[in-house]
Amino acid sequence: FGNPQLKPDEKRAFLGNFRERVALALTISQLRQPETTAMVAKVITNYPEYRMYLNGKMDDTLVEDYMGMAIDHNYQFTVLVQNGVRVEAHTGPHDFGLVIASPKEKIKRRILL
């Protein structure tokens, strides 16, 4: 049904990105740790050409915190909420909540995955 997609499960897991384009992927439980904020700020400062993708199904406070960080650093970001997918799944602590990826090309050296 619909147009065939390349690696749909991989794209769903990495918030719409192919794994080869992902520089940084953090789970929702990792985003709740206090030291993560400083690490993400350092990454977005060092890699301004990438884009931040946020899972819109996680807690509003997490979305607002990292969205505010992106706005403060003038960093491109997208908040994704994948409603209408065949199976309505709730997000868990091991789902990715934040992904920083190159929108156009393969990453040569991953930061953390």
Side-chain angles (χ1 to χ4, degrees):
F1 299 90
N3 292 332
Q5 292 185 6
L6 200 69
K7 302 180 182 180
D9 292 333
E10 181 177 303
K11 286 182 77 176
R12 204 172 5 258
F14 290 104
L15 304 178
N17 295 286
F18 292 111
R19 182 183 180 114
E20 64 193 22
R21 294 183 181 177
V22 173
L24 175 71
L26 297 170
T27 64
I28 294 172
S29 62
Q30 288 173 324
L31 291 176
R32 289 191 174 108
Q33 297 173 0
E35 64 272 4
T36 303
T37 307
M39 181 186 66
V40 172
K42 184 176 179 181
V43 169
I44 64 177
T45 302
N46 292 335
Y47 298 94
E49 69 276 11
Y50 295 162
R51 182 178 197 95
M52 179 188 296
Y53 298 88
L54 294 167
N55 187 339
K57 291 186 174 184
M58 60 184 178
D59 294 338
D60 288 342
T61 54
L62 282 175
V63 174
E64 289 171 5
D65 289 346
Y66 288 98
M67 186 171 60
M69 179 188 300
I71 291 169
D72 291 344
H73 286 86
N74 198 22
Y75 202 75
Q76 293 183 358
F77 70 95
T78 302
V79 179
L80 298 162
V81 181
Q82 297 177 344
N83 287 333
V85 181
R86 292 182 196 162
V87 178
E88 188 65 32
H90 300 285
T91 56
H94 301 295
D95 291 327
F96 288 119
L98 181 142
V99 171
I100 295 179
S102 172
K104 298 179 183 175
E105 59 189 27
K106 182 178 177 180
I107 300 289
K108 293 177 181 75
R109 192 177 119 216
R110 288 189 179 93
I111 303 163
L112 175 67
L113 189 61

PDB file of all heavy atoms in Angstrom, residues 31 36-37 40-41 44 51-81 97-100:
ATOM      1  N   LEU A  31      18.287  11.661  27.575  1.00  0.00           N
ATOM      2  CA  LEU A  31      17.994  13.093  27.560  1.00  0.00           C
ATOM      3  C   LEU A  31      17.619  13.617  28.938  1.00  0.00           C
ATOM      4  O   LEU A  31      17.748  14.803  29.208  1.00  0.00           O
ATOM      5  CB  LEU A  31      16.865  13.390  26.569  1.00  0.00           C
ATOM      6  CG  LEU A  31      17.200  13.202  25.102  1.00  0.00           C
ATOM      7  CD1 LEU A  31      15.972  13.440  24.244  1.00  0.00           C
ATOM      8  CD2 LEU A  31      18.336  14.119  24.675  1.00  0.00           C
ATOM      9  N   THR A  36      23.688  15.539  29.860  1.00  0.00           N
ATOM     10  CA  THR A  36      23.386  15.449  28.434  1.00  0.00           C
ATOM     11  C   THR A  36      23.202  16.824  27.807  1.00  0.00           C
ATOM     12  O   THR A  36      23.608  17.056  26.671  1.00  0.00           O
ATOM     13  CB  THR A  36      22.131  14.590  28.210  1.00  0.00           C
ATOM     14  OG1 THR A  36      22.345  13.305  28.799  1.00  0.00           O
ATOM     15  CG2 THR A  36      21.841  14.404  26.747  1.00  0.00           C
ATOM     16  N   THR A  37      22.628  17.759  28.529  1.00  0.00           N
ATOM     17  CA  THR A  37      22.367  19.095  27.990  1.00  0.00           C
ATOM     18  C   THR A  37      23.658  19.773  27.537  1.00  0.00           C
ATOM     19  O   THR A  37      23.714  20.342  26.442  1.00  0.00           O
ATOM     20  CB  THR A  37      21.649  19.962  29.042  1.00  0.00           C
ATOM     21  OG1 THR A  37      20.501  19.264  29.505  1.00  0.00           O
ATOM     22  CG2 THR A  37      21.236  21.289  28.465  1.00  0.00           C
ATOM     23  N   VAL A  40      25.009  18.043  24.310  1.00  0.00           N
ATOM     24  CA  VAL A  40      24.259  18.402  23.105  1.00  0.00           C
ATOM     25  C   VAL A  40      24.603  19.832  22.684  1.00  0.00           C
ATOM     26  O   VAL A  40      24.774  20.113  21.497  1.00  0.00           O
ATOM     27  CB  VAL A  40      22.741  18.226  23.323  1.00  0.00           C
ATOM     28  CG1 VAL A  40      21.945  18.787  22.160  1.00  0.00           C
ATOM     29  CG2 VAL A  40      22.404  16.757  23.526  1.00  0.00           C
ATOM     30  N   ALA A  41      24.741  20.739  23.649  1.00  0.00           N
ATOM     31  CA  ALA A  41      25.112  22.129  23.333  1.00  0.00           C
ATOM     32  C   ALA A  41      26.481  22.175  22.650  1.00  0.00           C
ATOM     33  O   ALA A  41      26.673  22.938  21.690  1.00  0.00           O
ATOM     34  CB  ALA A  41      25.116  22.972  24.595  1.00  0.00           C
ATOM     35  N   ILE A  44      26.081  20.825  18.949  1.00  0.00           N
ATOM     36  CA  ILE A  44      25.458  21.739  17.996  1.00  0.00           C
ATOM     37  C   ILE A  44      26.328  22.972  17.725  1.00  0.00           C
ATOM     38  O   ILE A  44      26.230  23.578  16.668  1.00  0.00           O
ATOM     39  CB  ILE A  44      24.019  22.131  18.411  1.00  0.00           C
ATOM     40  CG1 ILE A  44      23.983  22.913  19.700  1.00  0.00           C
ATOM     41  CG2 ILE A  44      23.138  20.929  18.480  1.00  0.00           C
ATOM     42  CD1 ILE A  44      22.597  23.378  20.091  1.00  0.00           C
ATOM     43  N   ARG A  51      21.327  19.059  11.476  1.00  0.00           N
ATOM     44  CA  ARG A  51      19.973  19.445  11.894  1.00  0.00           C
ATOM     45  C   ARG A  51      19.555  18.571  13.067  1.00  0.00           C
ATOM     46  O   ARG A  51      19.880  17.396  13.119  1.00  0.00           O
ATOM     47  CB  ARG A  51      19.018  19.257  10.717  1.00  0.00           C
ATOM     48  CG  ARG A  51      17.607  19.660  11.007  1.00  0.00           C
ATOM     49  CD  ARG A  51      16.729  19.485   9.753  1.00  0.00           C
ATOM     50  NE  ARG A  51      15.517  20.219   9.916  1.00  0.00           N
ATOM     51  CZ  ARG A  51      15.308  21.443   9.483  1.00  0.00           C
ATOM     52  NH1 ARG A  51      16.247  22.066   8.820  1.00  0.00           N
ATOM     53  NH2 ARG A  51      14.166  22.052   9.698  1.00  0.00           N
ATOM     54  N   MET A  52      18.828  19.161  14.014  1.00  0.00           N
ATOM     55  CA  MET A  52      18.333  18.437  15.184  1.00  0.00           C
ATOM     56  C   MET A  52      16.901  17.973  14.916  1.00  0.00           C
ATOM     57  O   MET A  52      16.069  18.736  14.449  1.00  0.00           O
ATOM     58  CB  MET A  52      18.353  19.344  16.420  1.00  0.00           C
ATOM     59  CG  MET A  52      17.840  18.674  17.682  1.00  0.00           C
ATOM     60  SD  MET A  52      17.662  19.814  19.085  1.00  0.00           S
ATOM     61  CE  MET A  52      19.352  20.309  19.363  1.00  0.00           C
ATOM     62  N   TYR A  53      16.639  16.709  15.221  1.00  0.00           N
ATOM     63  CA  TYR A  53      15.301  16.135  15.112  1.00  0.00           C
ATOM     64  C   TYR A  53      14.866  15.706  16.506  1.00  0.00           C
ATOM     65  O   TYR A  53      15.582  14.974  17.191  1.00  0.00           O
ATOM     66  CB  TYR A  53      15.306  14.925  14.176  1.00  0.00           C
ATOM     67  CG  TYR A  53      15.713  15.276  12.763  1.00  0.00           C
ATOM     68  CD1 TYR A  53      17.048  15.278  12.380  1.00  0.00           C
ATOM     69  CD2 TYR A  53      14.758  15.632  11.814  1.00  0.00           C
ATOM     70  CE1 TYR A  53      17.430  15.613  11.100  1.00  0.00           C
ATOM     71  CE2 TYR A  53      15.129  15.965  10.522  1.00  0.00           C
ATOM     72  CZ  TYR A  53      16.467  15.955  10.173  1.00  0.00           C
ATOM     73  OH  TYR A  53      16.836  16.296   8.892  1.00  0.00           O
ATOM     74  N   LEU A  54      13.691  16.179  16.931  1.00  0.00           N
ATOM     75  CA  LEU A  54      13.168  15.862  18.255  1.00  0.00           C
ATOM     76  C   LEU A  54      11.917  15.011  18.129  1.00  0.00           C
ATOM     77  O   LEU A  54      11.072  15.260  17.260  1.00  0.00           O
ATOM     78  CB  LEU A  54      12.818  17.153  19.011  1.00  0.00           C
ATOM     79  CG  LEU A  54      13.989  18.057  19.358  1.00  0.00           C
ATOM     80  CD1 LEU A  54      13.495  19.418  19.809  1.00  0.00           C
ATOM     81  CD2 LEU A  54      14.826  17.416  20.442  1.00  0.00           C
ATOM     82  N   ASN A  55      11.798  14.036  19.014  1.00  0.00           N
ATOM     83  CA  ASN A  55      10.616  13.181  19.063  1.00  0.00           C
ATOM     84  C   ASN A  55       9.507  13.950  19.774  1.00  0.00           C
ATOM     85  O   ASN A  55       9.581  14.206  20.967  1.00  0.00           O
ATOM     86  CB  ASN A  55      10.953  11.884  19.803  1.00  0.00           C
ATOM     87  CG  ASN A  55       9.842  10.872  19.745  1.00  0.00           C
ATOM     88  OD1 ASN A  55       8.688  11.214  19.499  1.00  0.00           O
ATOM     89  ND2 ASN A  55      10.190   9.621  19.969  1.00  0.00           N
ATOM     90  N   GLY A  56       8.472  14.316  19.046  1.00  0.00           N
ATOM     91  CA  GLY A  56       7.387  15.103  19.601  1.00  0.00           C
ATOM     92  C   GLY A  56       6.477  14.350  20.541  1.00  0.00           C
ATOM     93  O   GLY A  56       5.623  14.947  21.200  1.00  0.00           O
ATOM     94  N   LYS A  57       6.663  13.024  20.643  1.00  0.00           N
ATOM     95  CA  LYS A  57       5.834  12.222  21.543  1.00  0.00           C
ATOM     96  C   LYS A  57       6.415  12.097  22.946  1.00  0.00           C
ATOM     97  O   LYS A  57       5.786  11.531  23.820  1.00  0.00           O
ATOM     98  CB  LYS A  57       5.622  10.826  20.957  1.00  0.00           C
ATOM     99  CG  LYS A  57       4.742  10.841  19.726  1.00  0.00           C
ATOM    100  CD  LYS A  57       4.445   9.426  19.277  1.00  0.00           C
ATOM    101  CE  LYS A  57       3.454   9.417  18.154  1.00  0.00           C
ATOM    102  NZ  LYS A  57       3.098   8.057  17.770  1.00  0.00           N
ATOM    103  N   MET A  58       7.604  12.622  23.183  1.00  0.00           N
ATOM    104  CA  MET A  58       8.165  12.565  24.540  1.00  0.00           C
ATOM    105  C   MET A  58       7.584  13.719  25.360  1.00  0.00           C
ATOM    106  O   MET A  58       6.843  14.550  24.848  1.00  0.00           O
ATOM    107  CB  MET A  58       9.687  12.572  24.508  1.00  0.00           C
ATOM    108  CG  MET A  58      10.339  13.751  23.890  1.00  0.00           C
ATOM    109  SD  MET A  58      12.134  13.522  23.850  1.00  0.00           S
ATOM    110  CE  MET A  58      12.603  15.005  23.018  1.00  0.00           C
ATOM    111  N   ASP A  59       7.922  13.765  26.642  1.00  0.00           N
ATOM    112  CA  ASP A  59       7.392  14.789  27.543  1.00  0.00           C
ATOM    113  C   ASP A  59       7.602  16.191  26.984  1.00  0.00           C
ATOM    114  O   ASP A  59       8.657  16.495  26.426  1.00  0.00           O
ATOM    115  CB  ASP A  59       8.068  14.705  28.914  1.00  0.00           C
ATOM    116  CG  ASP A  59       7.740  13.421  29.642  1.00  0.00           C
ATOM    117  OD1 ASP A  59       6.716  12.800  29.311  1.00  0.00           O
ATOM    118  OD2 ASP A  59       8.520  13.052  30.534  1.00  0.00           O
ATOM    119  N   ASP A  60       6.609  17.046  27.181  1.00  0.00           N
ATOM    120  CA  ASP A  60       6.687  18.415  26.682  1.00  0.00           C
ATOM    121  C   ASP A  60       7.880  19.170  27.255  1.00  0.00           C
ATOM    122  O   ASP A  60       8.481  20.001  26.568  1.00  0.00           O
ATOM    123  CB  ASP A  60       5.404  19.178  26.999  1.00  0.00           C
ATOM    124  CG  ASP A  60       4.236  18.726  26.140  1.00  0.00           C
ATOM    125  OD1 ASP A  60       4.474  18.093  25.094  1.00  0.00           O
ATOM    126  OD2 ASP A  60       3.082  18.998  26.526  1.00  0.00           O
ATOM    127  N   THR A  61       8.249  18.887  28.488  1.00  0.00           N
ATOM    128  CA  THR A  61       9.379  19.605  29.096  1.00  0.00           C
ATOM    129  C   THR A  61      10.686  19.289  28.371  1.00  0.00           C
ATOM    130  O   THR A  61      11.509  20.179  28.159  1.00  0.00           O
ATOM    131  CB  THR A  61       9.526  19.266  30.594  1.00  0.00           C
ATOM    132  OG1 THR A  61       9.617  17.852  30.751  1.00  0.00           O
ATOM    133  CG2 THR A  61       8.344  19.791  31.389  1.00  0.00           C
ATOM    134  N   LEU A  62      10.871  18.022  27.981  1.00  0.00           N
ATOM    135  CA  LEU A  62      12.074  17.653  27.234  1.00  0.00           C
ATOM    136  C   LEU A  62      12.087  18.315  25.865  1.00  0.00           C
ATOM    137  O   LEU A  62      13.116  18.837  25.425  1.00  0.00           O
ATOM    138  CB  LEU A  62      12.174  16.134  27.080  1.00  0.00           C
ATOM    139  CG  LEU A  62      12.665  15.347  28.280  1.00  0.00           C
ATOM    140  CD1 LEU A  62      12.593  13.861  28.011  1.00  0.00           C
ATOM    141  CD2 LEU A  62      14.079  15.742  28.642  1.00  0.00           C
ATOM    142  N   VAL A  63      10.954  18.272  25.185  1.00  0.00           N
ATOM    143  CA  VAL A  63      10.867  18.898  23.857  1.00  0.00           C
ATOM    144  C   VAL A  63      11.168  20.392  23.973  1.00  0.00           C
ATOM    145  O   VAL A  63      11.964  20.940  23.204  1.00  0.00           O
ATOM    146  CB  VAL A  63       9.476  18.668  23.222  1.00  0.00           C
ATOM    147  CG1 VAL A  63       9.336  19.448  21.923  1.00  0.00           C
ATOM    148  CG2 VAL A  63       9.232  17.191  22.961  1.00  0.00           C
ATOM    149  N   GLU A  64      10.573  21.049  24.954  1.00  0.00           N
ATOM    150  CA  GLU A  64      10.764  22.494  25.129  1.00  0.00           C
ATOM    151  C   GLU A  64      12.211  22.837  25.484  1.00  0.00           C
ATOM    152  O   GLU A  64      12.753  23.831  24.991  1.00  0.00           O
ATOM    153  CB  GLU A  64       9.820  23.024  26.198  1.00  0.00           C
ATOM    154  CG  GLU A  64       8.372  23.039  25.758  1.00  0.00           C
ATOM    155  CD  GLU A  64       7.414  23.353  26.900  1.00  0.00           C
ATOM    156  OE1 GLU A  64       7.884  23.653  28.022  1.00  0.00           O
ATOM    157  OE2 GLU A  64       6.201  23.287  26.653  1.00  0.00           O
ATOM    158  N   ASP A  65      12.840  22.029  26.330  1.00  0.00           N
ATOM    159  CA  ASP A  65      14.229  22.293  26.724  1.00  0.00           C
ATOM    160  C   ASP A  65      15.175  22.244  25.521  1.00  0.00           C
ATOM    161  O   ASP A  65      15.970  23.161  25.309  1.00  0.00           O
ATOM    162  CB  ASP A  65      14.704  21.296  27.777  1.00  0.00           C
ATOM    163  CG  ASP A  65      14.049  21.508  29.133  1.00  0.00           C
ATOM    164  OD1 ASP A  65      13.432  22.573  29.336  1.00  0.00           O
ATOM    165  OD2 ASP A  65      14.146  20.596  29.977  1.00  0.00           O
ATOM    166  N   TYR A  66      15.090  21.169  24.732  1.00  0.00           N
ATOM    167  CA  TYR A  66      16.008  21.009  23.611  1.00  0.00           C
ATOM    168  C   TYR A  66      15.624  21.889  22.427  1.00  0.00           C
ATOM    169  O   TYR A  66      16.491  22.352  21.685  1.00  0.00           O
ATOM    170  CB  TYR A  66      16.137  19.534  23.229  1.00  0.00           C
ATOM    171  CG  TYR A  66      16.918  18.784  24.282  1.00  0.00           C
ATOM    172  CD1 TYR A  66      16.280  18.054  25.274  1.00  0.00           C
ATOM    173  CD2 TYR A  66      18.298  18.861  24.325  1.00  0.00           C
ATOM    174  CE1 TYR A  66      16.991  17.402  26.267  1.00  0.00           C
ATOM    175  CE2 TYR A  66      19.029  18.219  25.315  1.00  0.00           C
ATOM    176  CZ  TYR A  66      18.363  17.488  26.282  1.00  0.00           C
ATOM    177  OH  TYR A  66      19.082  16.863  27.259  1.00  0.00           O
ATOM    178  N   MET A  67      14.343  22.172  22.267  1.00  0.00           N
ATOM    179  CA  MET A  67      13.911  23.105  21.233  1.00  0.00           C
ATOM    180  C   MET A  67      14.406  24.510  21.575  1.00  0.00           C
ATOM    181  O   MET A  67      14.890  25.233  20.709  1.00  0.00           O
ATOM    182  CB  MET A  67      12.383  23.084  21.104  1.00  0.00           C
ATOM    183  CG  MET A  67      11.859  23.914  19.967  1.00  0.00           C
ATOM    184  SD  MET A  67      10.101  23.692  19.663  1.00  0.00           S
ATOM    185  CE  MET A  67       9.398  24.190  21.215  1.00  0.00           C
ATOM    186  N   GLY A  68      14.334  24.876  22.848  1.00  0.00           N
ATOM    187  CA  GLY A  68      14.859  26.168  23.293  1.00  0.00           C
ATOM    188  C   GLY A  68      16.354  26.272  23.075  1.00  0.00           C
ATOM    189  O   GLY A  68      16.870  27.329  22.691  1.00  0.00           O
ATOM    190  N   MET A  69      17.067  25.182  23.312  1.00  0.00           N
ATOM    191  CA  MET A  69      18.511  25.171  23.080  1.00  0.00           C
ATOM    192  C   MET A  69      18.810  25.408  21.603  1.00  0.00           C
ATOM    193  O   MET A  69      19.706  26.185  21.257  1.00  0.00           O
ATOM    194  CB  MET A  69      19.117  23.835  23.519  1.00  0.00           C
ATOM    195  CG  MET A  69      20.609  23.742  23.295  1.00  0.00           C
ATOM    196  SD  MET A  69      21.284  22.102  23.589  1.00  0.00           S
ATOM    197  CE  MET A  69      20.860  21.855  25.293  1.00  0.00           C
ATOM    198  N   ALA A  70      18.056  24.754  20.728  1.00  0.00           N
ATOM    199  CA  ALA A  70      18.265  24.934  19.291  1.00  0.00           C
ATOM    200  C   ALA A  70      17.975  26.375  18.878  1.00  0.00           C
ATOM    201  O   ALA A  70      18.711  26.962  18.085  1.00  0.00           O
ATOM    202  CB  ALA A  70      17.379  23.963  18.511  1.00  0.00           C
ATOM    203  N   ILE A  71      16.932  26.958  19.435  1.00  0.00           N
ATOM    204  CA  ILE A  71      16.589  28.343  19.116  1.00  0.00           C
ATOM    205  C   ILE A  71      17.678  29.289  19.614  1.00  0.00           C
ATOM    206  O   ILE A  71      18.092  30.212  18.902  1.00  0.00           O
ATOM    207  CB  ILE A  71      15.210  28.710  19.705  1.00  0.00           C
ATOM    208  CG1 ILE A  71      14.113  27.945  18.957  1.00  0.00           C
ATOM    209  CG2 ILE A  71      14.961  30.206  19.644  1.00  0.00           C
ATOM    210  CD1 ILE A  71      12.750  28.014  19.605  1.00  0.00           C
ATOM    211  N   ASP A  72      18.170  29.067  20.836  1.00  0.00           N
ATOM    212  CA  ASP A  72      19.227  29.908  21.401  1.00  0.00           C
ATOM    213  C   ASP A  72      20.510  29.870  20.569  1.00  0.00           C
ATOM    214  O   ASP A  72      21.214  30.868  20.460  1.00  0.00           O
ATOM    215  CB  ASP A  72      19.549  29.490  22.833  1.00  0.00           C
ATOM    216  CG  ASP A  72      18.416  29.803  23.800  1.00  0.00           C
ATOM    217  OD1 ASP A  72      17.525  30.604  23.448  1.00  0.00           O
ATOM    218  OD2 ASP A  72      18.418  29.220  24.909  1.00  0.00           O
ATOM    219  N   HIS A  73      20.817  28.708  19.982  1.00  0.00           N
ATOM    220  CA  HIS A  73      22.027  28.546  19.175  1.00  0.00           C
ATOM    221  C   HIS A  73      21.764  28.791  17.689  1.00  0.00           C
ATOM    222  O   HIS A  73      22.658  28.560  16.867  1.00  0.00           O
ATOM    223  CB  HIS A  73      22.610  27.142  19.369  1.00  0.00           C
ATOM    224  CG  HIS A  73      23.275  26.951  20.689  1.00  0.00           C
ATOM    225  ND1 HIS A  73      22.589  26.584  21.824  1.00  0.00           N
ATOM    226  CD2 HIS A  73      24.561  27.102  21.075  1.00  0.00           C
ATOM    227  CE1 HIS A  73      23.425  26.491  22.831  1.00  0.00           C
ATOM    228  NE2 HIS A  73      24.629  26.801  22.413  1.00  0.00           N
ATOM    229  N   ASN A  74      20.548  29.218  17.351  1.00  0.00           N
ATOM    230  CA  ASN A  74      20.163  29.445  15.956  1.00  0.00           C
ATOM    231  C   ASN A  74      20.435  28.196  15.109  1.00  0.00           C
ATOM    232  O   ASN A  74      21.019  28.252  14.032  1.00  0.00           O
ATOM    233  CB  ASN A  74      20.903  30.662  15.386  1.00  0.00           C
ATOM    234  CG  ASN A  74      20.234  31.192  14.142  1.00  0.00           C
ATOM    235  OD1 ASN A  74      19.054  30.946  13.913  1.00  0.00           O
ATOM    236  ND2 ASN A  74      20.988  31.919  13.342  1.00  0.00           N
ATOM    237  N   TYR A  75      20.016  27.047  15.640  1.00  0.00           N
ATOM    238  CA  TYR A  75      20.280  25.737  15.036  1.00  0.00           C
ATOM    239  C   TYR A  75      18.990  25.221  14.399  1.00  0.00           C
ATOM    240  O   TYR A  75      17.918  25.322  14.984  1.00  0.00           O
ATOM    241  CB  TYR A  75      20.739  24.763  16.137  1.00  0.00           C
ATOM    242  CG  TYR A  75      21.516  23.579  15.647  1.00  0.00           C
ATOM    243  CD1 TYR A  75      22.836  23.710  15.250  1.00  0.00           C
ATOM    244  CD2 TYR A  75      20.925  22.326  15.597  1.00  0.00           C
ATOM    245  CE1 TYR A  75      23.561  22.613  14.829  1.00  0.00           C
ATOM    246  CE2 TYR A  75      21.649  21.221  15.167  1.00  0.00           C
ATOM    247  CZ  TYR A  75      22.966  21.380  14.783  1.00  0.00           C
ATOM    248  OH  TYR A  75      23.680  20.297  14.351  1.00  0.00           O
ATOM    249  N   GLN A  76      19.100  24.667  13.212  1.00  0.00           N
ATOM    250  CA  GLN A  76      17.919  24.135  12.541  1.00  0.00           C
ATOM    251  C   GLN A  76      17.411  22.910  13.283  1.00  0.00           C
ATOM    252  O   GLN A  76      18.198  22.041  13.683  1.00  0.00           O
ATOM    253  CB  GLN A  76      18.254  23.746  11.110  1.00  0.00           C
ATOM    254  CG  GLN A  76      18.597  24.910  10.236  1.00  0.00           C
ATOM    255  CD  GLN A  76      18.848  24.473   8.805  1.00  0.00           C
ATOM    256  OE1 GLN A  76      18.795  23.304   8.471  1.00  0.00           O
ATOM    257  NE2 GLN A  76      19.125  25.433   7.956  1.00  0.00           N
ATOM    258  N   PHE A  77      16.068  22.820  13.455  1.00  0.00           N
ATOM    259  CA  PHE A  77      15.494  21.682  14.148  1.00  0.00           C
ATOM    260  C   PHE A  77      14.124  21.359  13.575  1.00  0.00           C
ATOM    261  O   PHE A  77      13.489  22.183  12.931  1.00  0.00           O
ATOM    262  CB  PHE A  77      15.391  21.935  15.655  1.00  0.00           C
ATOM    263  CG  PHE A  77      14.361  22.962  16.041  1.00  0.00           C
ATOM    264  CD1 PHE A  77      13.079  22.569  16.404  1.00  0.00           C
ATOM    265  CD2 PHE A  77      14.670  24.312  16.042  1.00  0.00           C
ATOM    266  CE1 PHE A  77      12.129  23.510  16.753  1.00  0.00           C
ATOM    267  CE2 PHE A  77      13.738  25.250  16.395  1.00  0.00           C
ATOM    268  CZ  PHE A  77      12.455  24.855  16.753  1.00  0.00           C
ATOM    269  N   THR A  78      13.685  20.126  13.833  1.00  0.00           N
ATOM    270  CA  THR A  78      12.369  19.653  13.435  1.00  0.00           C
ATOM    271  C   THR A  78      11.813  18.821  14.571  1.00  0.00           C
ATOM    272  O   THR A  78      12.516  17.973  15.121  1.00  0.00           O
ATOM    273  CB  THR A  78      12.452  18.783  12.156  1.00  0.00           C
ATOM    274  OG1 THR A  78      13.041  19.559  11.114  1.00  0.00           O
ATOM    275  CG2 THR A  78      11.094  18.300  11.718  1.00  0.00           C
ATOM    276  N   VAL A  79      10.554  19.057  14.929  1.00  0.00           N
ATOM    277  CA  VAL A  79       9.865  18.240  15.920  1.00  0.00           C
ATOM    278  C   VAL A  79       8.952  17.304  15.153  1.00  0.00           C
ATOM    279  O   VAL A  79       8.099  17.750  14.384  1.00  0.00           O
ATOM    280  CB  VAL A  79       9.056  19.108  16.905  1.00  0.00           C
ATOM    281  CG1 VAL A  79       8.327  18.229  17.909  1.00  0.00           C
ATOM    282  CG2 VAL A  79       9.967  20.089  17.619  1.00  0.00           C
ATOM    283  N   LEU A  80       9.144  15.997  15.346  1.00  0.00           N
ATOM    284  CA  LEU A  80       8.392  14.988  14.597  1.00  0.00           C
ATOM    285  C   LEU A  80       7.397  14.267  15.478  1.00  0.00           C
ATOM    286  O   LEU A  80       7.745  13.773  16.543  1.00  0.00           O
ATOM    287  CB  LEU A  80       9.352  13.952  14.002  1.00  0.00           C
ATOM    288  CG  LEU A  80      10.357  14.501  13.003  1.00  0.00           C
ATOM    289  CD1 LEU A  80      11.492  13.526  12.818  1.00  0.00           C
ATOM    290  CD2 LEU A  80       9.671  14.769  11.699  1.00  0.00           C
ATOM    291  N   VAL A  81       6.165  14.216  15.015  1.00  0.00           N
ATOM    292  CA  VAL A  81       5.118  13.419  15.654  1.00  0.00           C
ATOM    293  C   VAL A  81       4.515  12.583  14.541  1.00  0.00           C
ATOM    294  O   VAL A  81       3.867  13.118  13.654  1.00  0.00           O
ATOM    295  CB  VAL A  81       4.036  14.301  16.311  1.00  0.00           C
ATOM    296  CG1 VAL A  81       2.977  13.437  16.977  1.00  0.00           C
ATOM    297  CG2 VAL A  81       4.651  15.246  17.301  1.00  0.00           C
ATOM    298  N   GLY A  97      14.916  10.088  21.331  1.00  0.00           N
ATOM    299  CA  GLY A  97      14.232  11.339  21.589  1.00  0.00           C
ATOM    300  C   GLY A  97      14.876  12.505  20.862  1.00  0.00           C
ATOM    301  O   GLY A  97      14.223  13.483  20.542  1.00  0.00           O
ATOM    302  N   LEU A  98      16.172  12.390  20.581  1.00  0.00           N
ATOM    303  CA  LEU A  98      16.900  13.442  19.889  1.00  0.00           C
ATOM    304  C   LEU A  98      17.881  12.808  18.926  1.00  0.00           C
ATOM    305  O   LEU A  98      18.616  11.889  19.284  1.00  0.00           O
ATOM    306  CB  LEU A  98      17.657  14.320  20.895  1.00  0.00           C
ATOM    307  CG  LEU A  98      18.453  15.481  20.334  1.00  0.00           C
ATOM    308  CD1 LEU A  98      18.348  16.686  21.257  1.00  0.00           C
ATOM    309  CD2 LEU A  98      19.903  15.132  20.122  1.00  0.00           C
ATOM    310  N   VAL A  99      17.870  13.282  17.700  1.00  0.00           N
ATOM    311  CA  VAL A  99      18.803  12.822  16.682  1.00  0.00           C
ATOM    312  C   VAL A  99      19.382  14.053  16.009  1.00  0.00           C
ATOM    313  O   VAL A  99      18.657  14.982  15.659  1.00  0.00           O
ATOM    314  CB  VAL A  99      18.098  11.925  15.627  1.00  0.00           C
ATOM    315  CG1 VAL A  99      19.010  11.624  14.459  1.00  0.00           C
ATOM    316  CG2 VAL A  99      17.611  10.634  16.261  1.00  0.00           C
ATOM    317  N   ILE A 100      20.688  14.079  15.867  1.00  0.00           N
ATOM    318  CA  ILE A 100      21.357  15.120  15.089  1.00  0.00           C
ATOM    319  C   ILE A 100      21.937  14.428  13.868  1.00  0.00           C
ATOM    320  O   ILE A 100      22.710  13.476  13.998  1.00  0.00           O
ATOM    321  CB  ILE A 100      22.440  15.843  15.911  1.00  0.00           C
ATOM    322  CG1 ILE A 100      21.785  16.598  17.064  1.00  0.00           C
ATOM    323  CG2 ILE A 100      23.243  16.790  15.026  1.00  0.00           C
ATOM    324  CD1 ILE A 100      22.733  17.325  17.971  1.00  0.00           C
TER     325      ILE A 100
END
